[in-house]
Amino acid sequence: MDSVSKKSQNYSPNKRVKYGYIKYVSLAILTIQNAALGLSMRYSRTRQVEMFAPTAAVVVAEVLKLAICFVLVMKESGGLQSGLRTMYTTVILNIKDTLRVCVPSFLYVIQNNLLYVSVSNLDAATYQITYQLKILTTAFFAVLVLKRRLKKWQWGALALLVAGVILVQLTPSGENETKPSENLGKQSKLLGFGAALAACFISGFAGIYFEKVLKESDISVWMRNVQLSLASIPFGIITHVIKTGTITDLMKGFDGYVWYLVALNAAGGLLVAVVVKYADNILKGFATSVAIIISCVASIYIFDFHITIQFAAGAVLVIGSIFLYGYVPKKPETRTSLSV
């Protein structure tokens, strides 16, 4: 009797409602964040103000993410003292495990810097659609590293994705040209696409590598993000020094808008962690698709973006591929001898 009552408590309607609430709220926030990030990054490169260094923005975003994850680890551990003890044990005493996390940390720093190069050369809508190629690269590394087998419709979805991105990229730049900016100078669509493609490959490998690390241990996602940020910050600083030649002007060009952009960037990785826990692939695909639509519509008003038939066709193919890739067919109900 006691075991039955415990089970009923574990699967209470209130708990299901709470999980459903968290799932849809986190998805709504992720949708807004995805759309806002691409638009905000593009706008940050077109403003007629003293320009900040993208490498500095990447470093500061990691510092902010570290601070947020530090608080979450303290809460998860039940207090400051126990949290610090857990961090010391995980990060310092288990140094081999921490060194494994350095691989995705380094890759994520390179990826985030490449995304700034891409968004400086592509309009927000084209950037948002092109970056969905990370689905293709993630699938590639999942098959190669994790030995996963893709379903037939998933291979079809990847083909649609590639076709959609090709249509978008081959749209003549003059037909959907955005507002010019002195800070951007001459833009190269080829450079923007190359940077986005490189970022997609890095994202695919780093994501699969990090997933493998997560599955091989029982360390929490927040603690893993602490490890990631602790390793990413030194890599980010080195990248900034190589790019600018100095560390003294790290905060150059930082104003309220740049701080908002940094916070938006830092929140993205944490939101994904929540969505992965509570949502499924179809809902995540829906969030990504809505974000693409928001980016395209918003670009019309913010950047004087012009949507062509070719661009729209490519966007539809990409959105369709996202849904198709995440599709999970319902299992047929098993009939027993007692079934009528």
Side-chain angles (χ1 to χ4, degrees), residues 61-330:
E62 287 299 329
V63 172
L64 182 58
K65 192 167 75 173
L66 175 62
I68 295 170
C69 289
F70 178 82
V71 173
L72 290 171
V73 168
M74 296 303 111
K75 184 180 178 182
E76 192 176 57
S77 302
L80 179 62
Q81 190 173 359
S82 58
L84 289 172
R85 193 182 303 115
T86 304
M87 286 181 63
Y88 176 75
T89 304
T90 306
V91 178
I92 305 300
L93 297 184
N94 196 5
I95 191 67
K96 286 185 179 179
D97 186 65
T98 302
L99 290 174
R100 289 176 66 200
V101 180
C102 287
V103 175
S105 297
F106 172 72
L107 293 174
Y108 282 136
V109 168
I110 302 301
Q111 172 197 328
N112 290 330
N113 279 288
L114 283 171
L115 291 180
Y116 273 103
V117 175
S118 178
V119 84
S120 296
N121 289 277
L122 298 175
D123 57 77
T126 303
Y127 159 79
Q128 188 85 318
I129 291 172
T130 304
Y131 191 47
Q132 299 314 311
L133 282 174
K134 63 186 177 182
I135 298 172
L136 172 66
T137 58
T138 302
F140 171 75
F141 287 113
V143 171
L144 192 68
V145 178
L146 300 180
K147 307 301 179 185
R148 283 184 187 161
R149 297 184 67 180
L150 298 182
K151 307 296 183 184
K152 290 180 181 178
W153 65 81
Q154 289 180 313
W155 287 112
L158 295 177
L160 282 178
L161 175 65
V162 173
V165 172
I166 289 172
L167 276 177
V168 168
Q169 284 294 328
L170 291 180
T171 303
S173 58
E175 293 183 21
N176 55 8
E177 197 169 3
T178 58
K179 291 179 181 178
S181 170
E182 293 177 6
N183 281 332
L184 281 176
K186 189 177 180 180
Q187 299 173 64
S188 169
K189 198 169 183 178
L190 183 60
L191 176 60
F193 174 72
L197 187 61
C200 286
F201 270 98
I202 291 172
S203 173
F205 178 75
I208 292 299
Y209 183 96
F210 191 51
E211 181 183 338
K212 195 170 185 292
V213 170
L214 279 173
K215 287 181 176 178
E216 290 175 354
S217 67
D218 57 353
I219 298 173
S220 74
V221 174
W222 307 126
M223 181 60 77
R224 282 299 186 192
N225 273 284
V226 167
Q227 288 179 308
L228 277 173
S229 294
L230 283 173
S232 295
I233 291 168
F235 288 137
I237 291 172
I238 292 169
T239 305
H240 178 73
V241 172
I242 292 172
K243 181 76 186 295
T244 63
T246 179
I247 191 65
T248 55
D249 64 344
L250 186 69
M251 308 306 291
K252 179 183 176 183
F254 271 64
D255 56 12
Y257 185 85
V258 178
W259 279 108
Y260 146 77
L261 181 61
V262 164
L264 195 64
N265 221 325
L270 304 180
L271 277 171
V272 168
V274 176
V275 170
V276 165
K277 183 176 180 180
Y278 292 103
D280 56 27
N281 283 331
I282 295 175
L283 288 172
K284 283 186 286 181
F286 179 77
T288 304
S289 302
V290 173
I292 290 173
I293 295 169
I294 292 172
S295 295
C296 292
V297 174
S299 293
I300 295 172
Y301 297 99
I302 300 173
F303 304 112
D304 287 341
F305 182 74
H306 302 290
I307 296 179
T308 64
I309 295 175
Q310 182 176 328
F311 184 94
V316 168
L317 285 178
V318 170
I319 290 171
S321 72
I322 293 169
F323 277 106
L324 184 58
Y325 188 81
Y327 169 71
V328 179
K330 289 183 179 180

